[in-house]
Amino acid sequence: MYNEKKRTITTERLLIRPFELSDAQRVSELCNNYNVYKSTLTLPYPYPIESARIWIQTHEENFNNNRYYEFAITDKHTHELYGAIGLSNHPIHRNGEFGYWIGEEYWGRGYATEATKALISFAFSEKHYHKVYARFFASNPASGRVMQKVGMVEEGRLVHHVYKENKYEDLIHYGILNTGV
């Protein structure tokens, strides 16, 4: 459920909320992980705290200007930070791309799936998107399983689309339509 005033989304286990500068240290700790880096498109490695601060400082303006909605994925009760999820906004096309990362110590617990489901609901019910889409590296099938679990369908493969770690990576494209519009 989205709280417009607080800009938070609440799920069964999660509080998905705006990042705060005080999160920078934990973001740096979670992102300064080779296994997280290798499964993301734009995350730098190593990931110093200053990168986290600079990144967090862009969120408010992006949100206010409806360019990008970036959220911290946290435990609903303890407020422990698990990762991040964000959604771009392309108003002309009424769609957006989402991306996420979860700290490795929290992998396999369903947090990405729960946050993704909530973000898609936010996109459709609050932002009135027609479509939400995402891409993942073929070498990271766990992200594909997250997308399948939330009802997204594979739309195609971009062959050798990204050069990372001295090799070319395929990107697999998934999407979901807002059938309630």
Side-chain angles (χ1 to χ4, degrees), residues 140-151:
N140 182 18
S143 275
R145 287 190 294 278
V146 167
M147 292 173 201
Q148 291 164 1
K149 287 176 188 174
V150 300

Side-chain angles (χ1 to χ4, degrees), residues 26-136:
R26 187 63 178 144
V27 167
S28 175
E29 292 166 4
L30 293 171
C31 290
N32 199 28
N33 177 307
Y34 179 77
N35 291 324
V36 172
Y37 156 79
K38 74 179 185 178
S39 64
T40 60
L41 191 58
T42 59
L43 201 67
Y45 183 78
Y47 197 94
I49 190 169
E50 190 55 34
S51 292
R53 285 189 189 109
I54 291 167
W55 176 66
I56 291 169
Q57 288 172 337
T58 67
H59 295 178
E60 184 72 16
E61 182 179 343
N62 285 337
F63 200 105
N64 290 338
N65 292 321
N66 289 308
R67 284 191 300 254
Y68 202 82
Y69 313 107
E70 192 79 47
F71 297 98
I73 301 170
T74 68
D75 183 275
K76 185 175 175 177
H77 301 291
T78 67
H79 305 288
E80 185 174 359
L81 180 66
Y82 297 144
I85 192 162
L87 178 69
S88 66
N89 183 24
H90 307 291
I92 293 170
H93 305 296
R94 295 183 55 214
N95 70 25
E97 179 177 16
F98 78 87
Y100 63 84
W101 57 262
I102 301 290
E104 186 175 15
E105 63 197 84
Y106 306 109
W107 289 1
R109 299 183 191 179
Y111 298 138
T113 301
E114 192 170 329
T116 297
K117 191 178 294 186
L119 192 72
I120 290 171
S121 177
F122 167 80
F124 290 162
S125 63
E126 300 298 326
K127 298 301 177 181
H128 309 291
Y129 286 21
H130 174 67
K131 180 180 183 176
V132 173
Y133 62 95
R135 300 170 290 164
F136 66 93

